[in-house]
Amino acid sequence: MSLTGETRLAAVIGWPVRHSLSPTIFNAAFAALKLDWAFLAFEVPPEKGIGAVDSMRALGLAGLSVTMPHKAAVAAAVDGLTPAAEALRAVNCVFWDGDRLVGDNTDGDGFIDALRKDPGVDPAGLRCVVAGAGGAGRAVVRALASAGASDVAVVNRSPDPARHAVALAGPVGRLGQADDIPGADLVVNATPLGMGAGGADEPLPIDPSLLRKDQVVADLIYHPPMTPLLRAARDAGAIAVNGVGMLIHQAAHALGRWAEVEPPLGVMTQATLAELDRRARFDG
Ligand code: NAP
């Protein structure tokens, strides 16, 4: 890649952000599309998220990805919000609409697209249990309801975020419990349990004895790609799906917002898997 005076810049802001896979995904996409764009990660302290949106305006950045802890602050700093970002009050992608900056939240659509692509499951009519009601859990709950799920039960450690998530699902949303898991068609882990942060004693997000074959079990975690929950799901004969697909598809939606291009999903996936593999060998 050679950078010139014509090269446009897109970026991700976060704190921390050095672990982000966004530069890998987007630079691979730009190269495949022969777009004269570059993508960088900026470590922006928590109180400076709004300043980063001002910088986007001043520098004319082509696109901005937003990760923790800036999603809510950026939602308040842009000129407009898509319906998803408005409902979630959280932005993970900023794009230009003329001279206005608009915030979107592509996590929910990314999750649904990933499910439809591989394993080829449409959420319409499905009974779903979502464990976790943080930013990702809320996006998934809302998206499942929008995609026509017949029942979206939210199971979460703390009641208030669970109620907030349930409200996003409208008439099909409800507070759930472990008993709902055996009867569900789709079980989603939207907690960080499985990333390994809790060490060898880290509990599973749900009791694996409640899983059964014919279910789809989706873990939003992508690093590691095989979590203890996914292993238990596979052992139970269920279809196990990790978070790589959601990661790729939410990025594809962002790219589509920034430029009128067809996102090169295969290249984006290959680059992501290669980088995850490199990190796994480094960790190991
Ligand atoms: P978050 O906003 O911090 O929410 C975390 C959720 O997990 C909350 O509901 C929290 O419950 C619950 N939780 C945390 N620790 C727990 C524990 N020890 N026991 C039980 N519940 C616990 O995080 P997030 O942004 O939603 O991310 C959640 C997961 O999704 C992470 O693993 C993240 O990497 C993944 N993710 C993946 C993608 C993707 O593209 N694949 C995108 C976004 C996020 P409380 O409400 O009780 O605190």
Side-chain angles (χ1 to χ4, degrees), residues 217-240:
V217 178
D219 202 325
L220 303 194
I221 293 170
Y222 48 82
H223 185 54
M226 179 58 77
T227 61
L229 175 69
L230 292 181
R231 206 167 288 117
R234 210 182 44 185
D235 291 348
I239 296 172

Side-chain angles (χ1 to χ4, degrees), residues 78-261:
V78 289
D79 304 314
L81 296 170
T82 62
E86 173 87 54
L88 297 164
R89 300 309 298 178
V91 160
N92 74 343
C93 151
V94 184
F95 64 96
W96 289 100
D97 178 16
D99 59 1
R100 295 170 72 240
L101 283 181
V102 179
D104 193 6
N105 192 307
T106 64
D107 276 343
D109 284 346
F111 176 76
I112 301 294
D113 284 359
L115 210 54
R116 287 188 175 137
K117 177 108 195 253
D118 182 11
V121 170
D122 192 300
L126 297 191
R127 293 159 299 169
C128 310
V129 172
V130 179
R138 290 196 297 275
V140 165
V141 164
R142 179 179 179 275
L144 284 170
S146 300
S150 62
D151 182 41
V152 183
V154 180
V155 179
N156 192 52
R157 180 177 62 179
S158 314
D160 281 352
R163 278 191 278 272
H164 184 186
V166 165
L168 290 164
V172 297
R174 66 183 174 89
L175 291 173
Q177 49 196 355
D179 290 0
D180 292 307
I181 291 168
D185 304 303
L186 171 66
V187 180
V188 182
N189 174 37
T191 80
L193 292 174
M195 294 179 80
D201 297 332
E202 188 173 65
L204 269 68
I206 58 179
D207 177 353
S209 71
L210 299 172
L211 299 176
R212 59 167 177 77
K213 68 178 172 61
D214 307 329
Q215 285 180 323
V216 177
V217 178
D219 202 325
L220 303 194
I221 293 170
Y222 48 82
H223 185 54
M226 179 58 77
T227 61
L229 175 69
L230 292 181
R231 206 167 288 117
R234 210 182 44 185
D235 291 348
I239 296 172
V241 190
N242 69 21
V244 172
M246 174 178 172
L247 180 71
I248 301 298
H249 283 276
Q250 61 79 27
H253 276 280
L255 184 53
R257 290 291 198 187
W258 297 336
E260 284 178 21
V261 294

